[in-house]
Amino acid sequence: MADLNDASVPKLPRGVKLREDAERGWLLLAPERVLTLDAIAIAVLGEVDGVRSFGEIVDRLAERYAAPRDQIAGDVKTFLTDLIEKRMMDVSP
Amino acid sequence: MTPANPTAMLAELTHRCPLSCPYCSNPLELIRRDAELSTEQWVEVFRQAGELGVLHVHLSGGEPASRRDLEDLTEAAAEADLYTNLITSGVGLTAKRIAELARRGLEHVQLSIQGPTKAIADEIGGYAGGYERKMQVADWIAAEGLPLTVNAVMHRRNFEKLEDTIDLAVKLGARRLEVATVQFHGWALQNQAALMPTRRQVEAAETIIDDARNRLRGALVIDYVAADYFARFPKACMGGWGSVGLVVTPSGAVMPCHAADTIPHLVFENVRDRPLSEIWEKSDAFNAYRGVDWMQEPCRSCERREIDFGGCRCQAMALAGDAAATDPACEKSPLNEKLQADADAFSRGGDTLVHRAKAPAS
């Protein structure tokens, strides 16, 4: 399995999509899967555009939330790695 | 109390199917072609499902590709903001149809394989050339870039090939593999002696699945439905009756699960007569086993009552003669010892396969 480093570019694969539901809030839908997203997950996925690298995403979130970069990097990595293992996130290279 | 909205709808578009698997989940009494909902009626069902908060729609059957309007139905489901999943045997699909389905908004395909070799797959499916067609269909799905789940029902005749089945899913480029041990409802009941896995096979499967999950982490997600007849606790069928999902049959009846019509006293209301939301919220069939109030002992005071909901209502009906009884697959059921002994006996014998019949035209 690909390991996330600063140069890795995460991207939502085809068949995995974000949608807002009137009663349930923001959701990530995949085959037979529904993830309910919390504020942090929404913020991270809002930065995933298939162009920005993991490092850039962490920089932007660290700036926006005025939080230590290491802490943000750890949280984002945990979240994205879980999605990668569920095949709900692709990463290149 | 108003129930939470359902998240998933199984749309059984037709009972017609070129295959005749001996464990088919369709009822023994198949719905005729001329009794199926029309295109316009399905379009309205999808619209209502979207309004009701359904997120995933599984376009299934029978073989959904037997419906010539599958492309139109897929588009209507996508327009209703439903995540569209096609559950197919592959037979009836062409490269052109797959491309058109993708263009109309299909999100995902779940392709069944009856075994990882031509011999076993075609014997179980009862359709010569089926295996080769499936391999072709998987290529077309990959060429189109559609995500793929492989679905494999396992039983005594193909359990020895579980590792090959996993390898095949990888080779076909699947993101996800569903390994479901055969369940004995409907057609499968006549095939218990031919299909019941052995305890040794079921134990070996656990190890094979664990190893594969570790080896393929990040490449292939494996969902495994174990054999409940050799387990301690029953399956949390449908995640609870009337809790997360609903089924619409080819003729428009709305059921809490695809086998619910084996419970004789339940009456299923039809989308032709009543809005889907009212059926979900108010119909007697949906409220019959919702929550925990209907439970008897030992379920009523069981600490697992909101984990497995007393198991499968249809299995309780079939084996205990009472749909409100504890599922005999639970070790707390007085019938569990008999269920396990019967399963062991079935696993020792019988080669005769009874294939499913064809759905009549009229």
Short mmCIF file of all heavy atoms in Angstrom, two decimals, chain A residues 7-29:
data_model
loop_
_atom_site.label_atom_id
_atom_site.label_comp_id
_atom_site.label_asym_id
_atom_site.label_seq_id
_atom_site.Cartn_x
_atom_site.Cartn_y
_atom_site.Cartn_z
N ALA A 7 4.89 14.65 -0.72
CA ALA A 7 4.68 14.82 -2.16
C ALA A 7 3.47 14.05 -2.69
O ALA A 7 3.03 14.26 -3.81
CB ALA A 7 5.93 14.38 -2.91
N SER A 8 2.92 13.15 -1.87
CA SER A 8 1.78 12.33 -2.33
C SER A 8 0.57 13.21 -2.63
O SER A 8 0.28 14.15 -1.88
CB SER A 8 1.35 11.34 -1.25
OG SER A 8 2.43 10.67 -0.69
N VAL A 9 -0.13 12.86 -3.70
CA VAL A 9 -1.34 13.61 -4.04
C VAL A 9 -2.56 12.72 -3.84
O VAL A 9 -2.76 11.75 -4.57
CB VAL A 9 -1.29 14.12 -5.50
CG1 VAL A 9 -2.59 14.84 -5.86
CG2 VAL A 9 -0.09 15.02 -5.71
N PRO A 10 -3.38 13.02 -2.83
CA PRO A 10 -4.60 12.23 -2.64
C PRO A 10 -5.72 12.70 -3.56
O PRO A 10 -5.77 13.89 -3.93
CB PRO A 10 -4.97 12.49 -1.18
CG PRO A 10 -4.38 13.82 -0.86
CD PRO A 10 -3.21 14.03 -1.78
N LYS A 11 -6.59 11.77 -3.93
CA LYS A 11 -7.67 12.09 -4.86
C LYS A 11 -8.84 11.16 -4.59
O LYS A 11 -8.63 9.95 -4.38
CB LYS A 11 -7.16 11.89 -6.28
CG LYS A 11 -8.15 12.27 -7.35
CD LYS A 11 -7.57 12.01 -8.74
CE LYS A 11 -8.57 12.45 -9.77
NZ LYS A 11 -8.60 11.62 -10.96
N LEU A 12 -10.05 11.69 -4.61
CA LEU A 12 -11.22 10.82 -4.47
C LEU A 12 -11.35 9.99 -5.73
O LEU A 12 -11.39 10.54 -6.83
CB LEU A 12 -12.50 11.65 -4.28
CG LEU A 12 -12.77 12.26 -2.90
CD1 LEU A 12 -14.12 12.97 -2.91
CD2 LEU A 12 -12.75 11.21 -1.79
N PRO A 13 -11.44 8.67 -5.59
CA PRO A 13 -11.59 7.83 -6.78
C PRO A 13 -13.00 7.95 -7.36
O PRO A 13 -13.92 8.39 -6.67
CB PRO A 13 -11.35 6.42 -6.28
CG PRO A 13 -11.25 6.47 -4.81
CD PRO A 13 -11.41 7.88 -4.35
N ARG A 14 -13.15 7.54 -8.62
CA ARG A 14 -14.47 7.46 -9.21
C ARG A 14 -15.33 6.53 -8.35
O ARG A 14 -14.86 5.51 -7.87
CB ARG A 14 -14.36 6.90 -10.63
CG ARG A 14 -15.66 6.91 -11.37
CD ARG A 14 -15.38 6.83 -12.83
NE ARG A 14 -16.58 6.56 -13.59
CZ ARG A 14 -16.58 6.23 -14.88
NH1 ARG A 14 -15.43 6.14 -15.52
NH2 ARG A 14 -17.71 6.01 -15.51
N GLY A 15 -16.57 6.89 -8.16
CA GLY A 15 -17.45 6.05 -7.36
C GLY A 15 -17.42 6.39 -5.88
O GLY A 15 -18.10 5.75 -5.08
N VAL A 16 -16.62 7.37 -5.50
CA VAL A 16 -16.61 7.84 -4.11
C VAL A 16 -16.98 9.31 -4.15
O VAL A 16 -16.33 10.09 -4.83
CB VAL A 16 -15.23 7.65 -3.45
CG1 VAL A 16 -15.26 8.16 -2.01
CG2 VAL A 16 -14.83 6.18 -3.49
N LYS A 17 -18.06 9.68 -3.48
CA LYS A 17 -18.48 11.07 -3.61
C LYS A 17 -19.00 11.70 -2.33
O LYS A 17 -19.59 11.04 -1.49
CB LYS A 17 -19.46 11.24 -4.77
CG LYS A 17 -20.72 10.43 -4.65
CD LYS A 17 -21.56 10.72 -5.90
CE LYS A 17 -23.00 10.36 -5.68
NZ LYS A 17 -23.82 10.65 -6.86
N LEU A 18 -18.74 12.99 -2.28
CA LEU A 18 -19.22 13.80 -1.16
C LEU A 18 -20.62 14.27 -1.48
O LEU A 18 -20.90 14.70 -2.60
CB LEU A 18 -18.35 15.04 -1.05
CG LEU A 18 -17.09 14.97 -0.21
CD1 LEU A 18 -16.25 16.20 -0.49
CD2 LEU A 18 -17.43 14.89 1.27
N ARG A 19 -21.50 14.20 -0.51
CA ARG A 19 -22.78 14.87 -0.71
C ARG A 19 -23.34 15.35 0.61
O ARG A 19 -23.04 14.80 1.67
CB ARG A 19 -23.78 14.02 -1.47
CG ARG A 19 -24.29 12.81 -0.73
CD ARG A 19 -25.52 12.26 -1.45
NE ARG A 19 -26.73 12.91 -0.95
CZ ARG A 19 -27.96 12.48 -1.22
NH1 ARG A 19 -28.14 11.44 -2.00
NH2 ARG A 19 -29.01 13.10 -0.71
N GLU A 20 -24.12 16.40 0.51
CA GLU A 20 -24.74 16.94 1.70
C GLU A 20 -26.17 16.43 1.76
O GLU A 20 -26.88 16.42 0.76
CB GLU A 20 -24.73 18.47 1.66
CG GLU A 20 -25.07 19.06 3.02
CD GLU A 20 -24.89 20.58 3.06
OE1 GLU A 20 -24.78 21.19 1.99
OE2 GLU A 20 -24.89 21.13 4.18
N ASP A 21 -26.55 15.96 2.93
CA ASP A 21 -27.88 15.41 3.12
C ASP A 21 -28.61 16.29 4.13
O ASP A 21 -28.04 16.71 5.14
CB ASP A 21 -27.75 13.97 3.66
CG ASP A 21 -29.10 13.31 3.89
OD1 ASP A 21 -29.64 12.77 2.90
OD2 ASP A 21 -29.60 13.34 5.03
N ALA A 22 -29.87 16.57 3.83
CA ALA A 22 -30.63 17.52 4.65
C ALA A 22 -30.64 17.12 6.12
O ALA A 22 -30.51 17.96 7.00
CB ALA A 22 -32.06 17.61 4.12
N GLU A 23 -30.77 15.82 6.40
CA GLU A 23 -30.87 15.39 7.80
C GLU A 23 -29.56 14.89 8.40
O GLU A 23 -29.37 14.95 9.61
CB GLU A 23 -31.92 14.28 7.92
CG GLU A 23 -33.30 14.81 7.63
CD GLU A 23 -34.40 13.87 8.09
OE1 GLU A 23 -34.10 12.84 8.73
OE2 GLU A 23 -35.56 14.18 7.78
N ARG A 24 -28.69 14.37 7.53
CA ARG A 24 -27.51 13.69 8.07
C ARG A 24 -26.23 14.51 7.96
O ARG A 24 -25.18 14.07 8.41
CB ARG A 24 -27.31 12.36 7.35
CG ARG A 24 -28.53 11.44 7.35
CD ARG A 24 -28.25 10.22 6.47
NE ARG A 24 -29.35 9.29 6.41
CZ ARG A 24 -30.17 9.16 5.37
NH1 ARG A 24 -30.03 9.95 4.31
NH2 ARG A 24 -31.11 8.26 5.37
N GLY A 25 -26.29 15.67 7.32
CA GLY A 25 -25.08 16.48 7.15
C GLY A 25 -24.22 16.00 5.99
O GLY A 25 -24.73 15.35 5.07
N TRP A 26 -22.90 16.27 6.05
CA TRP A 26 -22.01 15.87 4.96
C TRP A 26 -21.64 14.40 5.09
O TRP A 26 -21.31 13.91 6.17
CB TRP A 26 -20.75 16.73 4.94
CG TRP A 26 -20.98 18.04 4.26
CD1 TRP A 26 -21.26 19.23 4.85
CD2 TRP A 26 -20.98 18.28 2.85
NE1 TRP A 26 -21.45 20.20 3.90
CE2 TRP A 26 -21.28 19.66 2.66
CE3 TRP A 26 -20.78 17.47 1.72
CZ2 TRP A 26 -21.35 20.24 1.39
CZ3 TRP A 26 -20.85 18.05 0.45
CH2 TRP A 26 -21.14 19.42 0.30
N LEU A 27 -21.72 13.72 3.94
CA LEU A 27 -21.47 12.29 3.89
C LEU A 27 -20.45 11.99 2.81
O LEU A 27 -20.36 12.72 1.82
CB LEU A 27 -22.76 11.53 3.55
CG LEU A 27 -23.99 11.81 4.42
CD1 LEU A 27 -25.23 11.19 3.77
CD2 LEU A 27 -23.77 11.23 5.82
N LEU A 28 -19.71 10.91 2.99
CA LEU A 28 -18.87 10.38 1.93
C LEU A 28 -19.45 9.02 1.54
O LEU A 28 -19.56 8.11 2.35
CB LEU A 28 -17.42 10.23 2.42
CG LEU A 28 -16.38 9.93 1.34
CD1 LEU A 28 -16.31 11.05 0.30
CD2 LEU A 28 -15.00 9.72 1.96
N LEU A 29 -19.88 8.93 0.28
CA LEU A 29 -20.54 7.71 -0.21
C LEU A 29 -19.58 6.90 -1.07
O LEU A 29 -18.89 7.44 -1.92
CB LEU A 29 -21.76 8.06 -1.05
CG LEU A 29 -22.89 8.84 -0.40
CD1 LEU A 29 -24.05 8.98 -1.38
CD2 LEU A 29 -23.36 8.15 0.86
#
